[in-house]
Amino acid sequence: MATILAVIEHRQGVIRDITFELLTLGRKLVEKNNAQLTGVLLGHDTQSLAESLRTHVHRLLVVDHEVFSDFNGETYQQALTAIIKKENPFLTLVGNTAFGIDFCPSLATQLGVPFTTDCIGVEMVDGRIRVTRQLYDGKMDAHVQLAESSSYVLTVRSGICPAEQGNLSAEIQKIESPVVSQPDYKKFIEYIEAVVGDVDITKADVVVGVGRGIKEQANLPLVEDFAKAIGGVVACSRPIVDANWLPKDRQVGSSGKTVKPKLYIAIGISGAFQHIAGMKNSDTIIAINKDSNAPIFNEADYGIVDDLFKVLPALKSKILEIKK
Amino acid sequence: MDLIVCIKRVPQTAEAEVKIDSSGKDIVRDRLTFDMNEADSYALEAAILLKEKFGGTITALSLGTADAEDTLRIALAKGADSAIRIRAEEFVELDGFKTAALLKEVIKDIKFDAIFTGCMATDDSYYQVGPVLAELLRVGHATLVSKVEVADGKAQVNRELEGGLIEHLEMSLPAVFAVQTGINEPRYASLIAIRRAAGKEIRVVGKEDISLELKSNSTLEELFLPPVGKRAEILSGSTDEISAKAATIIKEKGLI
Ligand SMILES: Cc1cc2nc3c(=O)[nH]c(=O)nc-3n(C[C@H](O)[C@H](O)[C@H](O)COP(=O)(O)OP(=O)(O)OC[C@H]3O[C@@H](n4cnc5c(N)ncnc54)[C@H](O)[C@@H]3O)c2cc1C
């Protein structure tokens, strides 16, 4: 029976959400294609992690070795190369995360198998893999056919396959670690936690998110005044932090913070999925963007298609009027 | 240090209307503006900062059509010493893997201590070129790099993970660094430097210089517009009317 392999992503003792999404996707694929789902857990002292995966896979391969106490893309690549060669899966699934991106393209290259990254849909058609990917700042989707092969590797975007409960009962199989030390040329040293600033945007009821549409740092007071009027905190998209206009702890998104306020107002933010990941669970989302095709309008509850430089002062005065 | 920076010229689509062309496999490009891929400009700056500290050379390399030479000239104006373009028009199905394989064919004849690429390009969002290039050249790599500091022949490298957590690595050179945005402040090229770069020769290589028979991993079958999700209720009217409606919604939710 054909095997689909899914690489378990965990960090600092916790299985990452993407893992359960991948395993859900994997279960859907094996059900349709009469295959079996095997998880691969590389780690150290991972007994409780392994138990929590039992219902999600048919079989769980566990490598327990000190070298996997922390993540090193290189040790993962070498171990997975050995495991994939032995197991010969039809498909290997990995998250398109900081973890997966670091070892997957090079792993597939070393194995010499077709692969692609950041998939938002995966199908098996006539023994081949066809995926959906997103291009051009999320404004286009594409169907992509992978070259003919007996084995494929894919990275899958977070959030495209909501995690479901599993009802399997995996056989847990310990295997000897194919890798016992980190290579000299790439050594993990430590994790450094993100710095905490004076404002905690995750605690606010109203979050005013500003993006590249604000154009210049000199225009930021416009947003700050608006936030003050509505009683919210100012947060932002990544480019605003990249430009050093606001500190990192104000960034909303996959590489920043996740917020769930009662109201999120996105101002001049296009709605890249990395940003959406950090604010999609807000109770109400209002987006202000002059581009009616901006992906943010697929996520927002209310949209204002207009120039933010006109809308912000007008909206601010309406809010102050109501408050009076 | 001898450094190589891989640069891609990409359409700026965040604020533009993007349409599918008659082939169904590409977008209409003639009304779009193009610029250096955002992460690549940080990669270039990272290389320039190392060159300023340690001396050496920077080679800027781009797989692109003739207009990619404009982007390479910007790199020359900012601090690259030489530039090479691989004629993209001579190759088909340029996915991330094939792009990296082509870059490797040129790089294999150049001595280098480090290669910088962007962590991904905003047009096809592959995240592949840096790590595949490293694998093909058989050197180490790190992706989503947010810091590279070199001392005593070792590189202290930070990677940016989800939630802003940093993974600190120690790496030896040569290596490939796929750089995340925001890691430095990319400089502007001065007008004098741009004028000087306009006269520099750019080496152009094509199919005849590349011996390898290259296969791509994937074939793009068709482009289509992303299915619209729940889609926001768009407030209509004059700016004043829209603002009044939005304020009322906010009030009804009990937020002011
Ligand atoms: C690994 C990785 C992690 C990332 N993590 C994050 C993250 O955590 N958070 C994040 O935000 N991004 C993240 N990004 C970046 C993300 O991909 C996008 O590049 C980014 O979110 C875009 O920010 P933006 O919407 O502000 O800018 P753009 O995409 O440039 O959009 C600007 C918007 O402003 C609008 N606009 C312009 N002028 C006006 C005006 N006058 N009035 C109204 N609207 C206007 C435009 O129509 C456009 O939609 C990450 C990327 C990578 C590769």
Side-chain angles (χ1 to χ4, degrees):
Chain A
M1 201 191 278
T3 300
I4 293 181
L5 208 76
V7 181
I8 307 301
E9 174 166 345
H10 60 99
R11 183 183 300 147
Q12 296 170 306
V14 181
I15 297 184
R16 313 270 312 159
D17 291 347
I18 179 71
T19 297
F20 296 103
E21 298 174 14
L22 269 187
L23 296 176
T24 304
L25 174 67
R27 285 197 302 276
K28 291 190 184 212
L29 289 170
V30 294
E31 267 165 37
K32 266 200 204 144
N33 297 283
N34 187 32
Q36 74 149 16
L37 181 63
T38 300
V40 183
L41 173 60
L42 308 179
H44 187 43
D45 289 337
T46 51
Q47 224 139 9
S48 64
L49 299 192
E51 281 308 321
S52 70
L53 293 165
R54 218 184 252 280
T55 57
H56 293 269
V57 288
H58 291 106
R59 193 163 146 251
L60 185 68
L61 299 177
V62 177
V63 172
D64 187 331
H65 195 281
E66 245 174 29
V67 73
F68 293 113
S69 300
D70 295 298
F71 174 71
N72 178 340
E74 202 59 47
T75 50
Y76 262 72
Q77 181 177 332
Q78 295 322 323
L80 288 167
T81 298
I83 292 168
I84 290 171
K85 277 191 176 153
K86 180 147 176 288
E87 294 290 321
N88 213 2
F90 174 67
L91 173 63
T92 301
L93 296 172
V94 186
N96 194 71
T97 55
F99 166 97
I101 292 162
D102 207 43
F103 66 80
C104 227
S106 45
L107 166 72
T109 303
Q110 181 175 2
L111 289 166
V113 304
F115 71 99
T116 197
T117 42
D118 198 20
C119 301
I120 62 168
V122 181
E123 289 170 278
M124 285 158 71
V125 189
D126 300 332
R128 284 180 65 181
I129 295 286
R130 185 179 189 245
V131 301
T132 310
R133 301 187 71 251
Q134 204 156 58
L135 313 178
Y136 305 109
D137 292 300
K139 287 192 168 170
M140 282 292 159
D141 282 1
H143 284 139
V144 175
Q145 176 82 54
L146 273 82
E148 204 161 346
S149 172
S150 56
S151 187
Y152 297 91
V153 175
L154 298 177
T155 70
V156 177
R157 180 182 290 186
S158 307
I160 63 127
C161 187
E164 291 169 14
Q165 298 283 357
N167 54 4
L168 305 173
S169 52
E171 157 213 351
I172 294 180
Q173 190 183 331
K174 286 205 168 181
I175 55 174
E176 204 170 320
S177 182
V179 177
V180 293
S181 61
Q182 298 191 61
D184 285 339
Y185 57 88
K186 187 173 180 178
K187 288 211 185 304
F188 174 90
I189 306 292
E190 61 182 338
Y191 287 125
I192 304 166
E193 299 291 336
V195 273
V196 208
D198 50 344
V199 177
D200 185 351
I201 59 169
T202 65
K203 298 257 155 64
D205 281 340
V206 178
V207 176
V208 177
V210 56
R212 186 140 52 188
I214 196 69
K215 294 284 183 297
E216 288 176 30
Q217 186 169 23
N219 297 330
L220 272 186
L222 200 65
V223 178
E224 279 153 5
D225 287 350
F226 174 78
K228 207 161 143 204
I230 196 172
V233 299
V234 176
C236 63
S237 65
R238 181 169 182 116
I240 303 298
V241 174
D242 285 348
N244 268 325
W245 296 350
L246 284 173
K248 181 77 181 171
D249 61 357
R250 300 293 183 105
Q251 183 189 318
V252 170
S254 59
S255 58
K257 296 212 158 140
T258 302
V259 297
K260 292 174 191 155
K262 294 194 172 122
L263 174 64
Y264 186 85
I265 308 186
I267 301 169
I269 292 177
S270 62
F273 75 94
Q274 294 100 338
H275 189 80
I276 302 289
M279 44 65 88
K280 64 177 178 211
N281 291 324
S282 307
D283 290 347
T284 302
I285 299 169
I286 301 179
I288 306 171
N289 197 307
K290 64 176 185 186
D291 175 7
S292 65
N293 291 319
I296 190 79
F297 290 123
N298 286 335
E299 209 54 48
D301 300 291
Y302 302 97
I304 297 177
V305 182
D306 203 345
D307 183 352
L308 70 91
F309 295 103
K310 288 200 303 201
V311 175
L312 280 188
L315 185 55
K316 181 176 123 186
S317 67
K318 295 287 175 204
I319 285 167
L320 290 177
E321 248 169 58
I322 292 175
K323 272 192 163 174
K324 247 194 289 177
Chain B
M1 294 177 84
D2 293 319
L3 306 164
I4 297 171
V5 186
C6 301
I7 289 168
K8 186 176 191 185
R9 181 178 173 88
V10 294
Q12 304 297 300
T13 47
E15 297 185 19
E17 193 183 350
V18 184
K19 287 187 181 156
I20 303 170
D21 76 1
S22 57
S23 76
K25 298 182 182 194
D26 201 354
I27 55 169
V28 178
R29 292 171 179 263
D30 49 6
R31 290 229 189 105
L32 297 171
T33 54
F34 288 75
D35 204 348
M36 189 182 296
N37 178 50
E38 192 183 7
D40 302 355
S41 65
Y42 290 95
L44 174 62
E45 182 65 28
I48 296 172
L49 292 172
L50 280 183
K51 183 184 136 177
E52 284 177 348
K53 200 162 172 195
F54 297 101
T57 62
I58 297 174
T59 305
L61 173 60
S62 185
L63 169 65
T65 47
D67 49 9
E69 292 182 18
D70 298 347
T71 308
L72 284 172
R73 285 192 200 282
I74 298 289
L76 288 168
K78 288 186 179 191
D81 301 275
S82 60
I84 307 170
R85 174 171 79 90
I86 307 174
R87 284 192 207 100
E89 59 273 26
E90 294 182 357
F91 301 91
V92 290
E93 288 171 2
L94 289 170
D95 59 11
F97 174 78
K98 193 164 167 185
T99 299
L102 281 168
L103 295 172
K104 184 238 168 180
E105 284 302 297
V106 173
I107 292 173
K108 70 181 188 344
D109 301 321
I110 305 174
K111 187 176 136 311
F112 66 89
D113 298 295
I115 299 174
F116 288 87
T117 71
C119 63
M120 68 121 176
T122 54
D123 57 351
D124 46 24
S125 158
Y126 275 129
Y127 306 86
Q128 295 177 10
V129 169
V132 172
L133 186 56
E135 185 63 35
L136 295 173
L137 290 163
R138 304 197 160 275
V139 299
H141 73 267
T143 56
L144 300 174
V145 167
S146 60
K147 190 175 98 180
V148 182
E149 268 173 21
V150 178
D152 308 323
K154 290 263 179 215
Q156 301 302 320
V157 179
N158 285 356
R159 300 184 62 231
E160 193 191 7
L161 314 182
E162 286 77 14
L165 185 73
I166 300 292
E167 174 186 318
H168 173 195
L169 299 161
E170 185 174 276
M171 296 180 62
S172 51
L173 300 177
V176 178
F177 302 110
V179 165
Q180 173 60 299
T181 57
I183 90 164
N184 49 41
E185 282 180 52
R187 67 195 62 200
Y188 290 96
S190 72
L191 275 173
I192 305 173
I194 290 174
R195 242 176 265 141
R196 216 178 288 143
K200 282 203 186 167
E201 196 205 334
I202 292 177
R203 182 154 81 90
V204 180
V205 300
K207 215 168 189 163
E208 71 279 7
D209 307 294
I210 289 164
S211 50
L212 204 69
E213 193 48 54
L214 290 164
K215 272 194 284 180
S216 46
N217 268 316
S218 56
T219 312
L220 194 152
E221 290 185 327
E222 55 173 347
L223 287 181
F224 58 99
L225 290 172
V228 280
K230 69 176 186 210
R231 192 69 195 167
E233 175 186 334
I234 303 292
L235 308 179
S236 60
S238 66
T239 300
D240 198 60
E241 287 161 358
I242 291 172
S243 301
K245 284 183 191 171
T248 308
I249 291 165
I250 297 169
K251 177 169 179 266
E252 278 166 3
K253 306 253 177 216
L255 294 164
I256 42 174

